[in-house]
Amino acid sequence: MPLKLPSYDRRLWILFFGMALNQFGMSIVMPFISIYLYYYQGVPAGLVGFAMFVSSFVGAIFQLVGGEMCDRIGRRLTFILGLVILIVSFLLLGWAVNVRAPYELYLLILSMTRVATGLFRPIPNIIATDLVPRDKRLEAFSLLRIGQNAGFALGPIVGGFMALLSYTSMFYFTAITSGIYLLLVIFFISDTRTCMPSARFSLRDVGSIAGDRPFMAFSLLVFLVTVVYSQMYSPLSVYAKGFVGLSEPEVGVLFAINGTMVVVAQYIVTRLTDSLRLTTSMGLGVALYALGFGLVAFSHSFLMLGLCVFIITLGELTYMPPSTTLTANLSSGENRGRYQGFSGLTSTLGFAVGPLIGGMLLDHLPPAAMWLIIGVSGMACALGLVYLKLLIPEEKNGAKLID
């Protein structure tokens, strides 16, 4: 099956490079915030998980706010606002590390970062849905994931070495990369549809999603799957550093495995699975999550943890693009931001709850028991996706690519 460089609107390629740069900066710091709080500030794993929970919960609410803002005031303006808040947040985090601020201040600033990402994170997918026809959405979403993970492939390695020198510099550097992303949006991204700023906002409009039974069932599963997948970040990094004894550079390499695999293999996996039902691909991916996290229970070395990350990433390659595509297929042009925002709300809530649960389990259970619980939970989610196939209309549950 020959691979061809797809031809898209220039704005999609700008987003590709902007997301790569932004994720490079974000991945320098995000895997190490938990390590800094736990290992250097002496914050218990449960409180680290609580910080991730609160900040992610705030971000979840702003995913929904950002989706509504996209439909009402425009993609571009919402994008710019989110990036400005992100830049300020990372400057404040650098200052907080420099003065060894109290835990409560980290909680507040981390919540600011999630407000920012909640506003702008769904927008590239919304713009892609605006720009490309349905039969190319899966391919376009895969392309954006490759761009995002091109930055993630290198960022954790750089972050691991920067952490040995200065945690403060990590946050300031990420503010710079976010600033460049902001300039790309200001100068090269225009709005992709006419919005309705004069339309009066009503919670009833948002609540109309509740009448879409297939989408609500899908959103519930997205939340549960994300609770499982979110163990990849805060709990796994704390486990790798605090229980297995890996150094920060080694933790960085673990996360780089994830990003590198997405860059190298995402498009290939998408082409191999494009004839499957979207729910089938998602179920297969989540089963791989379950296997990978379950094996962490028996992993006490860098090589074993690297194998676990490899398996989990195979699941990510199979699950993520179909999930975004299904959200787009279930929405329409008038409510695209609302559906993407609500989907972002449920997944971000999963990222909020997951580290809290993982941190508490690490504090109160043997690590092996904790990871086996996560593995079993992942398999239950995979079975749920088998049932979801019965609810999704057949014409919306596929995305065959055109050669």
Side-chain angles (χ1 to χ4, degrees), residues 5-21 75 79 122-133 136-148 181 184-185 188-192 267 324:
L5 186 67
S7 175
Y8 290 120
D9 187 289
R10 184 187 69 165
R11 287 168 289 186
L12 208 64
W13 289 107
I14 296 296
L15 290 173
F16 174 91
F17 290 111
M19 291 173 72
L21 178 65
R75 281 67 160 130
F79 212 156
I123 297 179
N125 287 333
I126 296 172
I127 292 175
T129 307
D130 291 338
L131 293 175
V132 302
K136 287 188 173 291
R137 285 176 183 169
L138 184 61
E139 189 179 60
F141 295 143
S142 298
L143 175 70
L144 292 180
R145 289 205 72 245
I146 291 170
Q148 187 175 30
Y181 192 19
L184 288 175
V185 172
F188 297 107
I189 300 297
S190 57
D191 263 317
T192 50
Y267 191 72
T324 308

Side-chain angles (χ1 to χ4, degrees), residues 32 70 74 98 151 181-182 215-216 240 254 275 278 296 306 321 337 380 400:
F32 300 100
C70 277
N98 195 46
Y181 192 19
L182 173 63
F215 182 68
M216 292 305 293
L254 280 182
S275 61
L278 297 173
V296 175
K400 176 69 177 175

Side-chain angles (χ1 to χ4, degrees), residues 258-301:
N258 175 267
T260 302
M261 285 182 62
V262 174
V263 172
V264 172
Q266 180 66 82
Y267 191 72
I268 297 172
V269 170
T270 299
R271 299 287 291 185
L272 291 174
T273 60
D274 64 5
S275 61
L276 299 177
R277 298 291 90 185
L278 297 173
T279 50
T280 302
S281 294
M282 292 163 64
L284 175 60
V286 176
L288 289 169
Y289 285 170
L291 176 61
F293 284 118
L295 285 175
V296 175
F298 310 100
S299 301
H300 308 290
S301 68

Side-chain angles (χ1 to χ4, degrees), residues 319-338:
Y319 170 83
M320 290 291 191
S323 176
T324 308
T325 304
L326 187 55
T327 301
N329 288 355
L330 291 172
S331 67
S332 65
E334 292 71 29
N335 58 23
R336 192 160 288 151
R338 182 176 301 152

